[in-house]
Amino acid sequence: MSQILFVSAEVAPYSKAGGLADVAGGLPPALKAYKYNATNLSPLYGSINCQKFKLKETTISGTVYLGKDAYLYKIWSNDDESHWFVHNDEFFGRNGIYTDARGEGFPDNNLRFFFFQKVAVDLIKRAHINPKVVHCNDHHTALIPLMLKAVNENAATLLTVHNFQYQGWFSSDEFGLLTQDEQNLINPVATQHYNAMELGLHYAHHVNTVSPNYAKEILEIPDWSFGLFDKIQSIKDKFSGILNGVDYSYWNPQYDSHIEHRFDVENTFGKKLNKAALQVHCSWPVAPDTAVIGNISRLVDAKGYPLIIDILPDLMELDVQFVFLGTGMEAIQNKLREFANAYPKKIAYFNGYDEPFAHLIEAGADLFLMPSAFEPCGLNQIYSLKYGTLPIVHETGGLADTVENWDGETGTGFSFNQHNSQALLETIVRAIQTYQDKKSREKLIQNAMKKDFSWSFAAKKYAALYKSLES
Ligand code: ADP
Ligand code: GLC
């Protein structure tokens, strides 16, 4: 077995802000079948319950420098040592991953993740781990390829970009905290500003993103890489797209420990019971024939909220109920709250991050709304398929790679091409009408639940990529 060091800022079930955590939790174990043994490295956040997860301090510790300041770290691990955690209270002892309780980004985020990356490099340099490939994820780990080069370590590096919108800008003061060798590698690459993602694109041996379609769009649509279009064009020979998978031992109505009524493709009766439970949870009348539409997301414009907000009032004449679970931009929260107050029997909004409730929405809703402007992969629409909760999506990125538009005979959901309010409105109306036709609904649910997006498909592709990087 070859060794992979899988480095990410979040990893489920220990720490999670979004889909990155699900990928970091799901992909590494699936690599075993392809002869790769991966060790996860992530920070030990204050919110991680060490007792519950039986995490223990190991004998590994060290010191890394940011400028003249020395910072100590200790490595903790889980029972089978598949997960290593970087302990340092000053940087990670607090609860949030990136933001405080009010949703504000921590002012020292760059420092926190510089530190984290330095620890990854220190562990390799001191041979505590000898990876064939260091698999970095997003901008929080995108400096590792150049940091390794600066200390003459030559493990192969892969950078997976989960979203080009977030790039990790840093200031010249922060640049000053890096070593002279690191600065010498940054200077010829950095354009006008220091940008961790740009440096990662440059120095990683390979770069991939999380669906083939998003990879294609990124090469074609300048705005979608938020200033990195030219850089990406220049590295396109080492750039590809691999579709994410799903951990079906966790996101599966057959085994889901978060829901009361289990079901599967052979017998979907439990879905009706979950729907009633969801309607009760939302303080709605229990109405088996009303189409319930669910949405779970970070509340940011890119997830399509401007369109949703535009058309929700137009849908209130129809036999439909909407449940939103999400936290994020205050303007979106306020709008959803306003709608829920105006239409309490048809719209419910829950602010916050609630894993069990996310599972109940997946299990109890009939349709799942995900009209993102762009979507690198998107996981909730894939989870929805398994729960027979038919996705309504914009044909973009991973949404287009995973949801097939219903044409009256085949398909697993409903999609629209032009990203505007009218197209979304028409698609939701079409979805509700189709849902109300029992024969079409049952066929769609069967089609959706039979789809298989297990991690093994992606793991096979990552293993082939690792192999090509090793040689
Ligand atoms: P992104 O990573 O862009 O936020 P994904 O669809 O890839 O989008 O993944 C989002 C993940 O985060 C899913 O597992 C989803 O269930 C979860 N999630 C997002 N918001 C919430 C929330 N408010 N409560 C519970 N889970 C959430
Ligand atoms: C990012 C993307 C999302 C993707 C997830 C996991 O957060 O926004 O589309 O599914 O990462 O790769």
Side-chain angles (χ1 to χ4, degrees), residues 195-212:
N195 174 325
M197 178 80 85
E198 181 181 44
L199 293 161
L201 297 179
H202 189 88
Y203 283 108
H205 295 113
H206 191 88
V207 177
N208 81 300
T209 185
V210 285
S211 70

Side-chain angles (χ1 to χ4, degrees), residues 135-139 158-162 206-210 462:
H135 188 158
C136 309
N137 291 273
D138 274 350
H139 68 85
L158 169 64
L159 171 63
T160 298
V161 178
H162 295 261
H206 191 88
V207 177
N208 81 300
T209 185
V210 285
Y462 277 105

Side-chain angles (χ1 to χ4, degrees), residues 167-456:
Q167 302 183 352
W169 301 96
F170 57 96
S171 66
S172 43
D173 283 353
E174 289 161 337
F175 169 79
L177 297 176
L178 298 170
T179 64
Q180 191 58 53
D181 289 332
E182 288 163 344
Q183 294 183 7
N184 292 343
L185 290 171
I186 291 172
N187 278 329
V189 180
T191 45
Q192 291 153 15
H193 303 282
Y194 299 114
N195 174 325
M197 178 80 85
E198 181 181 44
L199 293 161
L201 297 179
H202 189 88
Y203 283 108
H205 295 113
H206 191 88
V207 177
N208 81 300
T209 185
V210 285
S211 70
N213 193 40
Y214 181 65
K216 183 169 160 278
E217 289 168 336
I218 280 297
L219 288 170
E220 286 169 0
I221 308 172
D223 287 354
W224 284 17
S225 44
F226 300 87
L228 290 178
F229 188 70
D230 291 343
K231 184 78 215 173
I232 297 165
Q233 295 299 321
S234 77
I235 59 139
K236 68 174 179 233
D237 291 345
K238 59 166 187 177
F239 179 64
S240 61
I242 299 179
L243 189 70
N244 283 334
V246 171
D247 178 354
Y248 286 127
S249 67
Y250 186 66
W251 288 103
N252 189 335
Q254 205 175 346
Y255 316 112
D256 195 329
S257 59
H258 291 299
I259 59 174
E260 210 168 314
H261 311 285
R262 314 262 157 83
F263 59 98
D264 58 34
V265 67
E266 304 294 331
N267 183 353
T268 57
F269 182 69
K271 184 154 181 69
K272 294 189 188 1
L273 302 177
N274 288 308
K275 176 170 174 175
L278 176 60
Q279 288 174 318
V280 169
H281 194 105
C282 295
S283 309
W284 289 332
V286 172
D289 296 329
T290 300
V292 172
I293 304 186
N295 172 269
I296 306 161
S297 184
R298 295 183 288 116
L299 301 185
V300 293
D301 284 350
K303 295 287 182 182
Y305 289 102
L307 306 194
I308 296 175
I309 287 166
D310 212 21
I311 57 147
L312 260 191
D314 296 337
L315 291 160
M316 292 298 100
E317 295 299 310
L318 301 179
D319 190 14
V320 65
Q321 295 168 327
F322 284 89
V323 51
F324 295 93
L325 167 64
T327 184
M329 285 170 61
E330 215 158 272
I332 303 175
Q333 288 183 35
N334 291 342
K335 221 43 202 164
L336 293 176
R337 217 172 271 125
E338 206 178 285
F339 284 137
N341 289 336
Y343 307 98
K345 293 202 173 117
K346 285 183 175 265
I347 300 178
Y349 167 52
F350 297 86
N351 178 27
Y353 190 92
D354 186 340
E355 186 87 14
F357 189 44
H359 286 246
L360 178 60
I361 294 177
E362 286 293 1
D366 300 302
L367 299 156
F368 192 87
L369 186 58
M370 204 156 163
S372 315
F374 61 88
E375 191 62 76
C377 178
L379 295 173
N380 272 117
Q381 86 283 7
I382 316 184
Y383 302 153
S384 298
L385 292 171
K386 196 62 176 175
Y387 288 76
T389 304
L390 311 170
I392 300 171
V393 301
H394 174 213
E395 276 162 32
T396 186
L399 299 174
D401 279 339
T402 52
V403 178
E404 295 152 47
N405 189 35
W406 174 248
D407 62 3
E409 296 277 328
T410 59
T412 56
F414 306 90
S415 62
F416 59 100
N417 188 260
Q418 296 301 314
H419 198 249
N420 60 51
S421 308
Q422 188 57 27
L424 175 61
L425 180 68
E426 285 167 13
T427 309
I428 295 179
V429 170
R430 176 162 66 92
I432 296 171
Q433 282 166 351
T434 309
Y435 164 81
Q436 276 152 356
D437 173 54
K438 186 160 181 265
K439 206 161 147 243
S440 304
R441 172 174 76 224
E442 284 176 357
K443 179 84 175 90
L444 263 157
I445 291 176
Q446 288 290 312
N447 291 351
M449 291 183 78
K450 282 183 184 149
K451 284 281 156 193
D452 182 1
F453 290 97
S454 311
W455 267 116
S456 56

